[in-house]
């Protein structure tokens, strides 16, 4: 797998990493979810060079994660607004925040607290099954080949190999 061709890989995670998988892009997305929209505000908050920020914003626009909206004509300036595709990254960002709070924090505690507007309570993000609503844990999930998988391009995961052997035995 080559870094510059990840978006062409038959793997959803690899394609996602192609779009958002570097540290600056993730930090820009954090700022977007904190309602930062303007180039100068991103630069000030992140202390990132103009060139690097410009490159990352262009990439996020190219992937359809952000859209540029003009807010000034003279000089021409833009705000960067999350698209629906960008808003759909919220669970990923929140999962990373939660992991950081749990595993990378210090004695001062969490840097930010998240409150659910509907109930007014502080919360921790959890991933649940879309079918039954139970909380998901890695050891409770089985992975199966999907319709978008290309056989020759992806090595078999151990679980998938077992499934294929079992299917082959059942056909014999």
């Amino acid at each position: 797998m080559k870094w510059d061709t990840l978006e062409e890989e038959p793997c959803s995670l690899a394609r996602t990493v192609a779009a958002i998988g570097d540290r600056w892009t993730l930090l820009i997305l954090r700022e977007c979810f904190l309602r930062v929209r303007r180039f100068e505000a991103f630069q000030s908050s992140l202390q990132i060079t103009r060139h690097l920020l410009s490159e990352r914003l262009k990439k996020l626009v190219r992937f359809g994660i952000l859209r540029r909206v003009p807010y000034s004509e003279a000089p021409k300036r833009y705000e960067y607004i999350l698209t629906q595709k960008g808003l759909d990254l919220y669970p990923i960002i929140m999962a990373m925040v939660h992991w950081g709070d749990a595993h990378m924090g210090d004695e001062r505690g969490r840097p930010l607290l998240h409150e659910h507007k509907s109930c007014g309570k502080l919360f921790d993000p959890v991933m649940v099954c879309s079918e039954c609503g139970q909380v998901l844990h890695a050891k409770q999930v089985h992975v199966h080949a999907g319709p978008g998988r290309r056989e020759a391009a992806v090595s078999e995961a151990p679980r998938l190999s077992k499934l294929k052997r079992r299917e082959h035995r059942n056909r014999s």
Side-chain angles (χ1 to χ4, degrees), residues 1-22 59 63 153-154:
M1 243 183 257
K2 294 184 179 176
W3 181 253
D4 57 348
T5 61
L6 282 180
E7 64 189 270
E8 299 165 15
E9 288 294 321
C11 170
S12 297
L13 182 60
R15 291 189 298 246
T16 302
V17 167
I20 67 164
D22 71 83
K59 180 174 80 168
F63 275 100
V154 181

Side-chain angles (χ1 to χ4, degrees), residues 66 75 79 115 138 148 156 164:
L66 296 178
E79 288 186 329
E115 178 186 322
E156 293 270 36
K164 282 191 160 197

Side-chain angles (χ1 to χ4, degrees), residues 46-112:
L46 296 172
Q47 297 296 300
I48 184 176
T49 66
R50 294 181 69 78
H51 173 74
L52 203 50
L53 177 57
S54 178
E55 297 263 322
R56 295 311 187 273
L57 289 170
K58 284 178 188 171
K59 180 174 80 168
L60 289 166
V61 169
R62 180 172 56 88
F63 275 100
I65 294 167
L66 296 178
R67 62 184 167 92
R68 282 177 19 144
V69 177
Y71 72 88
S72 173
E73 289 301 322
K76 189 86 164 185
R77 296 186 187 250
Y78 298 91
E79 288 186 329
Y80 295 87
I81 312 292
L82 287 161
T83 62
Q84 186 57 54
K85 190 174 183 179
L87 290 167
D88 287 347
L89 290 168
Y90 190 68
I92 294 169
I93 299 299
M94 287 304 295
M96 293 178 75
V97 166
H98 180 65
W99 186 90
D101 288 344
H103 300 290
M104 302 300 286
D106 61 22
E107 65 280 349
R108 294 174 293 179
R110 299 173 183 197
L112 297 173

Side-chain angles (χ1 to χ4, degrees), residues 125-141:
V126 294
M127 187 170 23
V128 298
C129 175
S130 62
E131 299 302 312
C132 70
Q134 288 187 3
V135 174
L136 291 173
H137 300 283
K139 292 181 179 180
Q140 298 171 327
V141 176

Side-chain angles (χ1 to χ4, degrees), residues 109-125:
R110 299 173 183 197
L112 297 173
L113 301 173
H114 298 86
E115 178 186 322
H116 186 216
K117 286 181 181 181
S118 294
C119 72
K121 304 283 187 190
L122 298 179
F123 71 92
D124 288 323

